[in-house]
Amino acid sequence: MKARLKRYALPLAAAGLALLCGLCLLVYGHLAQLLDSQRQAERWQGESDTAFRQLSCFMAVDEKLSLEQVYTFRKAMMDKFHEAALDIGTDSQLFCDAWCSFGTVNVSSAQGKGEVSVIAVGGNYFDFHPIRLLSGNYISPDDLMKDRVLLDEDVAWLLFGGTELSGMEFKINGQPFVVAGVIEREQDFASKAAYTAGMGIYMSYEGYSALVSENAGLETASAGGGAVGINCYEVVMANPVKNFALNFAREKFPIGGGLLVDNTGRYDYETILKLTKSFGQRSMQTHGVILPYWENAARSIEDWCLVLLLCAMVTAVLPLVLLVIWAVRLFILGKTKLEEDLLPKARDNVAEAIRVRQRRAWEKRHLKKKE
C-alpha cells in the first residue's frame, strides 16, 4: 500500500497543482473583465474592423485642464486622423471622450440636507462608466438644461426617502436642481474598497462650473471653462497602427506633471508581468496626482492579477516537468518499439512480399515456356 502511494504521490501532486493553476487563470480572466470603466474601447469598437485604444489622463492637483484645451486636443485628433487617411466621413465614430472634476456641495430638500461629494461630468462620461441606474436616466451632453443631477442611493434616501425620484426638485448650494435619476454604486470588491468619498451626486460640468463661479461671486461660467478645472480626461480613439493613439496623446495632450494611463490591454499577461519590474515602487507616489476611485480600483485588480499569474506560473512547473518527462519516455518507448518490433516486422513483410512477387513471376515465365 505504501509503495503504491509512493508511486502515485508525484502524479497526484502534479494533478492537484495543474487544477490550482487552472483555477488561478480562471479567476484572473474573471478579474480582467470585472471593471466596466476599463473596457470602453471594446464597447466603442463593436463590430468595426478599426482598432481603438482607451487612454486616461489624470491631471496634477495644481494643473487643472480647461475645456478650451479639450477642444484643442479634439481638433488635433481630427487633423491626425485625416493625415493618417482614416475615413473622414465618420469623424464622430473615430473617437469618444469624457471629462470630470471633483468637489463637495451642500444639498437640501424639504426632508433632509447634508454635504456630499460631487463628480461634475462632461462628454460621454457614462459610456466610460456605465453605473447601474436604479431609476430615471443618465445626464447627457445633449441635455439643453444643465440642471439635471444624478443622485446615488444614499443621497436619494437622505433627501427624499426613496429612489423613484425623476423630476423631483432639490437645492445644491441654495440653487434649484432636478433629479434625473438614482444610481447604485459599483458592487465589485475593488471599487467598493477604492470609493471613499461617501454620499455623492453627478452633475454636468457646465452646471457645476456655473455654480462654483456664482458662489465665488464671479460671472456665470460659460461652456468654455469657468472657475472649475478638469481633473480627469478619458478618450477612446482609433488606433490604426500599434501605439498610434498613445504616441499621439503623449505628443499633443497637455498632461504637464500629470499621469497618462493606457487602459486597453492593461490586464494582458505580458503587461501584468511587466509590473514585476516596478515591484516595491508602485506604491510610491511620484506624481502630484490624486487618482479617482476607478483608477485605484483598476490598480488593485492589477495587483491581484499579478499575484494570480505568478501563482499560476509556479504551480504549472511540476505538471509541465512531468509532462515533458512523460513525453520523452513515450518517445523513447515508441522509438524502441519501432526499432525492435515494428521495423523488423516491416522488413520481414517487405521481404516476404518480394519473395511472393518473384515466385509468381517465375511461375508465370515457367508456364509460358511449357506452352
Side-chain angles (χ1 to χ4, degrees):
M1 184 66 178
K2 287 184 179 180
R4 184 176 295 179
L5 286 174
K6 212 170 177 183
R7 179 182 176 185
Y8 291 109
L10 203 57
L12 287 173
L17 289 172
L19 287 174
L20 183 58
C21 175
L23 180 61
C24 287
L25 293 178
L26 283 174
V27 176
Y28 181 109
H30 170 71
L31 293 182
Q33 300 294 317
L34 186 63
L35 301 180
D36 289 333
S37 64
Q38 306 301 306
R39 300 172 59 197
Q40 174 60 4
E42 177 185 331
R43 292 190 295 268
W44 187 256
Q45 179 173 346
E47 300 297 324
S48 172
D49 294 329
T50 303
F52 287 82
R53 206 81 186 173
Q54 179 179 348
L55 307 172
S56 296
C57 307
F58 304 110
M59 306 304 295
V61 292
D62 57 347
E63 296 178 357
K64 300 293 179 64
L65 188 72
S66 69
L67 275 182
E68 287 87 350
Q69 289 174 300
V70 169
Y71 297 149
T72 299
F73 181 70
R74 280 181 168 184
K75 174 70 166 53
M77 267 196 295
M78 290 299 98
D79 292 342
K80 189 68 175 179
F81 291 150
H82 299 172
E83 182 184 320
L86 294 178
D87 186 0
I88 62 174
T90 56
D91 282 354
S92 62
Q93 301 300 315
L94 294 176
F95 81 97
C96 171
D97 64 355
W99 52 91
C100 62
S101 185
F102 311 102
T104 58
V105 293
N106 291 304
V107 296
S108 61
S109 70
Q111 297 184 36
K113 62 181 179 179
E115 184 179 77
V116 300
S117 63
V118 57
I119 300 180
V121 304
N124 296 293
Y125 179 87
F126 293 105
D127 286 347
F128 286 82
H129 305 275
I131 304 170
R132 179 172 175 254
L133 280 168
L134 296 177
S135 66
N137 299 286
Y138 296 120
I139 55 179
S140 163
D142 297 327
D143 293 338
L144 295 178
M145 301 298 292
K146 304 303 178 182
D147 62 347
R148 299 176 71 246
V149 178
L150 274 175
L151 314 180
D152 72 12
E153 201 170 1
D154 291 334
V155 177
W157 281 96
L158 170 70
L159 295 181
F160 299 103
T163 58
E164 296 291 334
L165 308 176
S166 297
M168 300 288 286
E169 294 187 359
F170 70 107
K171 290 185 178 180
I172 302 176
N173 289 356
Q175 301 298 317
F177 285 84
V178 177
V179 177
V182 178
I183 59 98
E184 178 186 57
R185 294 286 176 191
E186 295 95 327
Q187 295 302 301
D188 63 272
F189 76 94
S191 296
K192 288 173 74 172
Y195 184 80
T196 58
M199 297 185 296
I201 64 174
Y202 293 85
M203 61 189 300
S204 74
Y205 176 81
E206 291 87 350
Y208 180 61
S209 185
L211 187 68
V212 170
S213 296
E214 189 166 323
N215 288 344
L218 304 174
E219 294 182 2
T220 302
S222 68
V228 178
I230 294 169
N231 300 103
C232 171
Y233 177 75
E234 300 172 276
V235 61
V236 165
M237 59 183 295
N239 191 58
V241 294
K242 186 178 180 181
N243 292 330
F244 174 91
L246 185 59
N247 290 337
F248 173 75
R250 284 172 175 167
E251 179 186 352
K252 295 295 184 180
F253 191 83
I255 192 65
L259 184 63
L260 177 62
V261 175
D262 186 355
N263 304 82
T264 305
R266 73 188 300 175
Y267 299 119
D268 292 344
Y269 293 150
E270 181 182 355
T271 306
I272 290 297
L273 279 177
K274 288 179 181 178
L275 296 179
T276 56
K277 296 179 181 179
S278 59
F279 182 78
Q281 298 177 359
R282 265 174 65 80
S283 59
M284 298 180 186
Q285 181 59 273
T286 57
H287 296 268
V289 178
I290 299 176
L291 296 174
Y293 76 90
W294 59 84
E295 177 60 20
N296 283 325
R299 291 180 173 225
S300 173
I301 296 294
E302 283 180 332
D303 292 338
W304 280 108
C305 284
L306 178 59
V307 171
L308 289 166
L309 186 55
L310 292 176
C311 285
M313 293 171 67
V314 170
T315 54
V317 172
L318 180 60
L320 287 175
V321 169
L322 290 184
L323 185 62
V324 170
I325 292 173
W326 176 79
V328 170
R329 286 180 175 176
L330 189 63
F331 173 77
I332 293 173
L333 180 63
K335 185 173 179 291
T336 302
K337 185 174 180 62
L338 183 66
E339 292 176 347
E340 296 181 357
D341 188 8
L342 297 180
L343 284 179
K345 285 184 178 180
R347 283 196 295 266
D348 291 343
N349 291 336
V350 170
E352 180 63 24
I354 291 173
R355 284 195 295 270
V356 168
R357 290 182 64 183
Q358 289 175 342
R359 178 68 181 177
R360 287 177 180 173
W362 179 85
E363 289 177 349
K364 195 173 182 182
R365 289 195 301 271
H366 188 66
L367 287 174
K368 283 183 178 180
K369 288 179 181 180
K370 282 185 176 183
E371 292 174 359

